[in-house]
Amino acid sequence: GQQLNQSPQSMFIQEGEDVSMNCTSSSIFNTWLWYKQEPGEGPVLLIALYKAGELTSNGRLTAQFGITRKDSFLNISASIPSDVGIYFCAGRPGRIEGAGNNRKLIWGLGTSLAVNP
Amino acid sequence: DVKVTQSSRYLVKRTGEKVFLECVQDMDHENMFWYRQDPGLGLRLIYFSYDVKMKEKGDIPEGYSVSREKKERFSLILESASTNQTSMYLCASSLLGDGRGTQYFGPGTRLTVL
């Protein structure tokens, strides 16, 4: 199936550093979502973006819906040890074929974040 | 808050056994999904359902079937478990009227097939 290009694949940073990760697609998207998954748990929604150019914050997290509708980024400022986990981007394509496919999300492979205290 | 629960957090089965993974959501969501997650492969969609008794194949349906007899419950069935089905299984749900497609996940079931 289709996948988003998410980078970097992994990051190992010092506590207090800022983090940036992004997702790109070859086609346009109507929605960009960012999830975090902690070890042994299911993904939890962090930020949802619905309009091109939209910039949304959730505490130390900031995400933007790219103006071309083909990309999104997530920034984490002043990282702390509890930021450890896998961050996934997901999106809902702008042009969808198939009756059921408007319910599906397209996923990136995730960015694994490790924070050294 | 949306709550999605899965019947087991950890499950160990033997090759050839029939395995049932159950998922229940309490927010009256129309859409439900089953994914499997393997290291380096991200989340891969197995099946999804957009109404009772309705189902559609995802990207990797081979070796799996599903059942949705009630709106709140979506079951994943491994007819004859094999070792390559050892994985983390995640259930999710979303609201049909939410055109944005936001999905809410359960905690996952880690299945080991010996």
Side-chain angles (χ1 to χ4, degrees), chain B:
Chain B
D1 280 353
V2 176
K3 186 147 189 190
V4 180
T5 57
Q6 295 183 229
S7 52
S8 304
R9 294 297 300 271
Y10 300 93
L11 210 51
V12 179
K13 296 292 181 180
R14 296 214 172 267
T15 300
E17 280 192 74
K18 190 169 185 175
V19 181
F20 293 87
L21 302 183
E22 305 283 341
C23 176
V24 176
Q25 49 92 7
D26 68 356
M27 285 302 292
D28 205 34
H29 283 178
E30 290 84 359
N31 306 317
M32 297 188 75
F33 307 82
W34 275 107
Y35 293 89
R36 65 175 282 176
Q37 182 179 22
D38 302 287
L41 298 179
L43 278 68
R44 294 183 290 167
L45 183 64
I46 304 172
Y47 268 97
F48 67 102
S49 168
Y50 51 90
D51 200 354
V52 174
K53 297 191 187 295
M54 305 302 289
K55 61 186 179 185
E56 285 202 23
K57 293 180 180 179
D59 299 317
I60 52 163
E62 296 79 18
Y64 303 94
S65 62
V66 290
S67 172
R68 187 141 181 228
E69 297 295 319
K70 293 185 178 182
K71 189 176 185 180
E72 67 271 19
R73 187 179 297 269
F74 192 34
S75 302
L76 180 69
I77 302 156
L78 288 66
E79 294 289 341
S80 178
S82 63
T83 54
N84 62 13
Q85 292 178 311
T86 291
S87 186
M88 174 72 140
Y89 290 88
L90 292 164
C91 175
S93 72
S94 70
L95 186 63
L96 178 62
D98 175 8
R100 289 110 182 223
T102 306
Q103 293 182 12
Y104 300 88
F105 284 83
T109 295
R110 185 162 293 282
L111 173 67
T112 301
V113 183
L114 302 175

Side-chain angles (χ1 to χ4, degrees), chain A residues 38-79:
Chain A
E38 296 187 4
E41 300 294 332
V44 174
L45 182 68
L46 297 173
I47 293 179
L49 302 160
Y50 306 128
K51 288 178 6 179
E54 181 180 359
L55 185 72
T56 297
S57 293
N58 177 5
R60 293 177 297 105
L61 278 62
T62 302
Q64 185 160 27
F65 193 138
I67 199 73
T68 65
R69 295 172 64 193
K70 293 184 178 181
D71 61 353
S72 177
F73 72 76
L74 175 71
N75 285 343
I76 305 172
S77 63
S79 59

